[in-house]
Amino acid sequence: LILGNNGGPATPECDGWLTYAIPVVAGLLYRDSVEVDELKYPIHVRALKITRGLGGAGRTRGAPGLEIVYGAREDPVTVVIAADGQHHPPRGVRGGQDGNAGRIEHIDGDGHAHPLPNVGQFELRPGEWLRGVDVGGGGYGSPLERDPAAVLDDVREGWETRERAGDVYGVVLVGKEETETLAVDHAGTTARRGQLRAAAADRAGSGERS
């Protein structure tokens, strides 16, 4: 069953594709329907969502992956997993940040999460869950060079968080998401990006002196 999806890498010209999956797939993947799979198989899908803020930041950003949580409906289910990308996240280039590493967990009946290996087989009982977090693509170029309007759009659309807009991209936003009044504070953004560039220069200088 293919319900989740890895986020694609950024390119010099565009952001990563949400439906990228892996290089040999390159967006040509047919993902299952949650509703059809729940009818055909003894599973219940509790969550399927974009991992907001986990794609690699950059002048063009990597796409976030998906998070999926599913469990056994009425009877134990034998689950076979293949979960790549847990040890080495997709790399950013030319100043772009890395995407997130993948993660897969078995959530027991008490709600405790236990990490699982890349490949394995185990029994999932009713009341237990499997959580998979797919990798996000790496970014291209410095996040401080991204168009502030694009960062604003990313936050509005749920690709990025407001916190990362300020801390990573240096874009200061005013207003509220809830009331759809978010807007770019251009003067604040210029100042914030100056602070982040100065801090990066200081870290680089300290590294050279050491």
Side-chain angles (χ1 to χ4, degrees):
L1 305 182
I2 300 177
L3 288 169
N5 196 63
N6 296 321
T11 78
E13 303 299 331
C14 66
D15 297 330
W17 299 347
L18 181 65
T19 57
Y20 183 78
I22 55 177
V24 296
V25 173
L28 301 177
L29 177 72
Y30 286 97
R31 290 175 51 244
D32 288 36
S33 160
V34 170
E35 291 79 6
V36 171
D37 280 352
E38 287 183 329
L39 288 172
K40 293 174 63 177
Y41 302 100
I43 62 171
H44 170 64
V45 178
R46 186 166 72 175
L48 180 60
K49 59 184 178 180
I50 293 172
T51 54
R52 186 174 191 178
L54 293 187
R59 178 171 59 80
T60 52
R61 56 156 178 74
L66 299 183
E67 177 183 351
I68 181 171
V69 180
Y70 69 90
R73 197 164 56 223
E74 296 177 351
D75 301 298
V77 175
T78 298
V79 178
V80 178
I81 58 171
D84 295 331
Q86 296 197 62
H87 303 290
H88 301 287
R91 299 302 187 192
V93 296
R94 296 185 176 275
Q97 295 189 356
D98 295 347
N100 65 288
R103 187 174 76 253
I104 190 162
E105 300 169 334
H106 172 218
I107 303 174
D108 63 28
D110 294 324
H112 300 125
H114 306 278
L116 294 173
N118 284 14
V119 178
Q121 175 177 315
F122 67 99
E123 187 176 80
L124 192 63
R125 296 184 294 269
E128 301 177 342
W129 303 92
L130 187 75
R131 175 192 291 135
V133 176
D134 293 320
V135 301
Y140 186 100
S142 170
L144 300 181
E145 297 175 359
R146 186 164 177 80
D147 184 349
V151 177
L152 172 63
D153 188 60
D154 289 340
V155 175
R156 283 174 171 169
E157 295 299 320
W159 302 92
E160 278 292 356
T161 66
R162 186 168 182 169
E163 291 73 24
R164 274 171 53 96
D167 296 341
V168 177
Y169 290 95
V171 175
V172 178
L173 300 178
V174 294
K176 297 181 179 180
E177 289 185 68
E178 298 80 4
T179 57
E180 300 184 356
T181 57
L182 276 184
V184 175
D185 177 347
H186 291 283
T189 294
T190 298
R192 178 60 174 155
R193 286 185 163 181
Q195 293 170 353
L196 292 176
R197 288 190 176 101
D202 287 344
R203 289 194 299 271
S206 298
E208 291 172 0
R209 290 192 295 271
S210 63

